[in-house]
Amino acid sequence: MMRLWTVIAMTVLAGWMLALSPEASRAWTVSLPGPAAETPAGGSPAASGFPAARSIHKSPTRKIVPRGRWKLDLSRGERLAFLRSVASLRPVPKAMLERLQARTVVRSLDHSSCGGHSACAVGTFTQLGTTRTATYELEFIHGILDTTTRSRFLVAHELAHLIEYEGLSATGRRAFELAFRSSPAWRDCFPYRNGCVPPPEVFADQFAMYALGAPASRTGYGVPRLVSDATFERLLRLHYRPSS
């Protein structure tokens, strides 16, 4: 069974300053780099790019299994790995994610489904009048969800995108940006492929480090820790306001 979702690939600034018009129905896609992005120094990772639109194929061999309200289109091993990753998060982000479970499908798909990336988050927002709703998909390539530290970090990174787009306004994003910029480790551009790491990915890496208590990023973006866990949680409590 195929379901076609229209996906508008967000640019760096558009992804960071998302705004919806009154009767808009939009989608966003953010991606985690695949193995190519983790090429050792001196290597030459493949060029980055986000698909303008694509079809998402539901696996014909698995049924969606609700577990703790998450809609999981995963193998048994992948389900266990994903749920253990969520269980390992700090209490505050875990509680924030509870209200998103019923609106989130988690899938494992072939590599090409994320445009060459190892994982991605997809959201669809619909607003009619004053009513705004959002549904989400987390997509992982087959075999990447396991019990390793990197897999847990990857899950937390993708969940960060849901947190940001569900509950952070432009004011909230700006507050996090100011906190990040105050760090001695801040750089106006964290090099990534042929450009800079997009702001949503900086936020997602910082979220994952905070949510797991991790000392460093496990993604290919290579952004260092910019704020303490206490600072990140304070900002999250202050600015997270679910919009649907």
Side-chain angles (χ1 to χ4, degrees):
M1 176 180 179
M2 179 189 299
R3 291 191 308 162
L4 177 63
W5 286 40
T6 302
V7 178
I8 302 175
M10 307 304 293
T11 62
V12 172
L13 291 178
W16 194 245
M17 300 293 289
L18 181 66
L20 292 175
S21 57
E23 284 76 36
S25 178
R26 300 186 181 181
W28 50 267
T29 302
V30 283
S31 304
L32 186 70
E38 298 174 343
T39 303
S44 56
S48 175
F50 297 114
R54 57 190 170 86
S55 297
I56 298 174
H57 297 264
K58 177 181 173 183
S59 169
T61 60
R62 295 192 301 267
K63 294 181 179 179
I64 294 179
V65 181
R67 293 294 177 89
R69 290 171 52 193
W70 293 102
K71 297 180 175 65
L72 304 181
D73 186 11
L74 304 170
S75 68
R76 182 176 181 277
E78 289 169 331
R79 291 198 299 268
L80 290 174
F82 176 80
L83 292 173
R84 286 171 180 170
S85 295
V86 174
S88 68
L89 301 177
R90 293 180 186 273
V92 170
K94 194 186 309 183
M96 291 175 175
L97 289 164
E98 285 182 359
R99 66 178 294 143
L100 305 183
Q101 293 178 15
R103 293 184 278 122
T104 303
V105 176
V106 185
R107 305 184 189 280
S108 65
L109 303 168
D110 61 70
H111 197 173
S112 63
S113 295
C114 277
H117 298 270
S118 59
C120 51
V122 180
T124 297
F125 297 93
T126 302
Q127 186 159 334
L128 297 174
T130 59
T131 302
R132 181 175 185 264
T133 58
T135 56
Y136 304 101
E137 287 200 20
L138 297 181
E139 304 167 21
F140 303 90
I141 61 171
H142 288 299
I144 204 163
L145 289 175
D146 54 34
T147 58
T148 62
T149 301
R150 183 182 186 276
S151 181
R152 288 196 298 274
F153 196 95
L154 184 154
V155 170
H157 176 105
E158 295 305 327
L159 290 172
H161 293 306
L162 273 60
I163 290 289
E164 179 189 349
Y165 284 92
E166 174 73 15
L168 288 186
S169 64
T171 299
R173 293 188 181 102
R174 179 61 176 166
F176 275 100
E177 181 186 355
L178 290 174
F180 297 161
R181 285 179 175 274
S182 69
S183 168
W186 172 259
R187 299 291 181 271
D188 287 334
C189 177
F190 293 102
Y192 172 62
R193 298 185 177 180
N194 296 321
C196 305
V197 178
E201 307 303 343
V202 175
F203 174 84
D205 262 11
Q206 299 304 307
F207 175 94
M209 283 185 269
Y210 146 72
L212 294 171
S217 170
R218 295 281 181 166
T219 69
Y221 293 118
V223 179
R225 179 182 277 270
L226 299 174
V227 295
S228 68
D229 292 340
T231 296
F232 196 99
E233 183 163 302
R234 177 180 59 80
L235 290 171
L236 198 60
R237 287 178 179 272
L238 182 62
H239 293 286
Y240 182 73
R241 296 290 182 271
S243 55
S244 61

